[in-house]
Amino acid sequence: RLAYARALISLQNNAAALVQLQKLNQENPELAAAWLFSGLLLSDMGQAAQASQALRQFVSLAAHSEDPELQSGLSEAYFSLAQIAQQQGQWAQAEAWLSKMPAQTDPIKLGVRRANLLVEQGQLKQARQLLVNIPVTTPAQAQQKLLALAMFLREQKEYQDAHEVLTQALKNGANYELQSELAMTLEKLGQFDKMESLLREMMAAKPSDPHPWNALGFSLADRKLRLPEAKQLIDQAVALAPNDPYIRDSLAWVLYRMGDHAQALSLLESAYKAKPDAEIAAHWGEVLWVNGQTQQAGAIWREGLLLKSDNETLRETLQRFNFKP
């Protein structure tokens, strides 16, 4: 049953997976892994209270185990519990969960989480310095550290600094993840031709990866440019990853731009149910609003703010429609 639930998760059929995991929790309450998967899945579905309960149950079962898989699971559980506490503004509780991390925890992932926690408290300089000071021991870790720093800078709208970090890092050789982040940064800098050129290089290098197809298609759709071509690009991404809710969101967005509101609404609803996300909420609310369903739009936008109140796309959308939550 656990293997079946994991397979359903990989197919992004979260509701069916949760049914299997909850049966396991009832029938085999000592099976720690089922509590972990339940908690992570519930967190991903935006059900914070139930997620916290399941994750705490996993921690109580796994904390004193020497099983390496359970020890690895503890890191995931603590990360998720810290994120839930952070979303609820419980800074001390979030840090308390992070302080419990096993010694083998990825230092970059831990550093990023601590930096995010500092950002939530308005300590931007301290967050940046924390990322700069993360200790690394291998070239691969060094690249991941630079990637994390660049992502942080982009999220803080320090686009030029992020660009400098990425171009310097790429001097050491091509790296797909760094190139992907550079493409996103180029878009924020308004250097759309360079962004498109880089994304097309990535498509040629790794044609089975849906993300560059999706990124370029969404960028064109968002700027209301070359919409038939944008749809073709996103259709290719859908073919490569048919169950990805973010790609479904992109397809909905280009259809909205092309005037097909009914299909866009259907796709956005299914994407949001699969992955409650502030950006998807922004898009779904906009299409609802334009379609005259203003009360439903407001409800979705408020949910999006609860998920991530500082999401740039959501905030811009609310401002554009002069919506006061």
Side-chain angles (χ1 to χ4, degrees):
R1 193 184 294 278
L2 183 60
Y4 181 40
R6 294 176 69 172
L8 288 167
I9 291 171
S10 70
L11 293 170
Q12 309 224 348
N13 192 346
N14 291 346
L18 187 59
V19 169
Q20 298 301 320
L21 290 168
Q22 288 176 334
K23 286 182 179 179
L24 271 174
N25 296 150
Q26 293 171 359
E27 297 168 4
N28 300 275
E30 299 302 311
L31 184 60
W35 289 107
L36 175 63
F37 282 109
S38 295
L40 296 176
L41 186 57
L42 286 163
S43 179
D44 203 41
M45 295 170 72
Q47 299 180 38
Q50 291 174 275
S52 180
Q53 184 178 2
L55 291 166
R56 287 170 183 268
Q57 182 63 23
F58 167 77
V59 167
S60 70
L61 292 169
H64 303 294
S65 171
E66 296 182 0
D67 185 328
E69 287 192 14
L70 291 184
Q71 285 297 304
S72 176
L74 276 172
S75 294
E76 293 301 313
Y78 290 141
F79 273 126
S80 190
L81 285 164
Q83 184 175 22
I84 291 168
Q86 182 178 333
Q87 288 170 344
Q88 296 172 344
Q90 299 173 0
W91 318 127
Q93 181 59 65
E95 179 54 41
W97 286 120
L98 294 176
S99 69
K100 295 177 179 290
M101 288 292 177
Q104 67 271 26
T105 301
D106 181 347
I108 297 169
K109 188 173 180 181
L110 179 56
V112 167
R113 177 57 61 196
R114 283 201 159 113
N116 287 337
L117 188 55
L118 289 170
V119 168
E120 291 278 353
Q121 299 171 78
Q123 301 178 43
L124 302 183
K125 289 183 179 179
Q126 296 91 327
R128 181 170 180 170
Q129 196 58 46
L130 185 150
L131 291 172
V132 169
N133 292 338
I134 293 174
V136 295
T137 56
T138 67
Q141 280 189 336
Q143 282 193 324
Q144 287 300 310
K145 174 179 169 177
L146 290 172
L147 177 63
L149 178 59
M151 291 175 70
F152 168 81
L153 291 168
R154 175 175 57 79
E155 288 167 0
Q156 301 310 312
K157 300 184 180 180
E158 301 286 349
Y159 303 130
Q160 195 57 53
D161 284 0
H163 185 269
E164 290 175 10
V165 167
L166 290 164
T167 51
Q168 188 64 34
L170 285 165
K171 287 180 180 179
N172 297 325
N175 176 284
Y176 197 80
E177 287 182 298
L178 291 171
Q179 287 176 317
S180 181
E181 181 61 26
L182 178 58
M184 296 178 71
T185 302
L186 288 167
E187 181 177 38
K188 292 297 185 182
L189 288 167
Q191 299 181 24
F192 299 113
D193 289 345
K194 289 184 178 179
M195 176 205 71
E196 180 168 346
S197 177
L198 180 55
L199 287 172
R200 291 195 181 279
E201 283 180 27
M202 294 171 66
M203 291 175 202
K206 202 171 180 182
S208 62
D209 181 7
H211 296 106
W213 301 91
N214 181 61
L216 181 54
F218 181 83
S219 178
L220 291 171
D222 204 42
R223 290 178 284 139
K224 304 178 184 178
L225 298 174
R226 295 149 48 193
L227 294 178
E229 181 184 352
K231 185 174 183 300
Q232 287 180 347
L233 289 161
I234 296 170
D235 282 341
Q236 178 62 22
V238 171
L240 292 167
N243 297 312
D244 189 310
Y246 293 110
I247 294 175
R248 204 176 309 160
D249 170 66
S250 296
L251 179 58
W253 200 237
V254 73
L255 288 168
Y256 166 58
R257 293 298 201 204
M258 298 174 83
D260 188 348
H261 292 187
Q263 184 66 11
L265 283 172
S266 176
L267 287 166
L268 285 164
E269 182 176 4
S270 67
Y272 187 79
K273 286 181 178 177
K275 177 63 179 176
D277 176 87
E279 187 142 340
I280 298 175
H283 293 155
W284 188 14
E286 175 165 341
V287 182
L288 284 167
W289 187 281
V290 169
N291 217 41
Q293 299 168 264
T294 54
Q295 287 189 337
Q296 297 94 318
I300 293 300
W301 282 337
R302 291 187 189 96
E303 282 188 26
L305 288 171
L306 290 174
L307 291 167
K308 197 171 191 330
S309 61
D310 62 347
N311 179 268
E312 185 178 357
T313 300
L314 181 55
R315 283 291 178 186
E316 183 275 330
T317 302
L318 299 186
Q319 185 176 15
R320 185 155 37 87
F321 287 94
N322 196 28
F323 178 79
K324 309 295 185 197

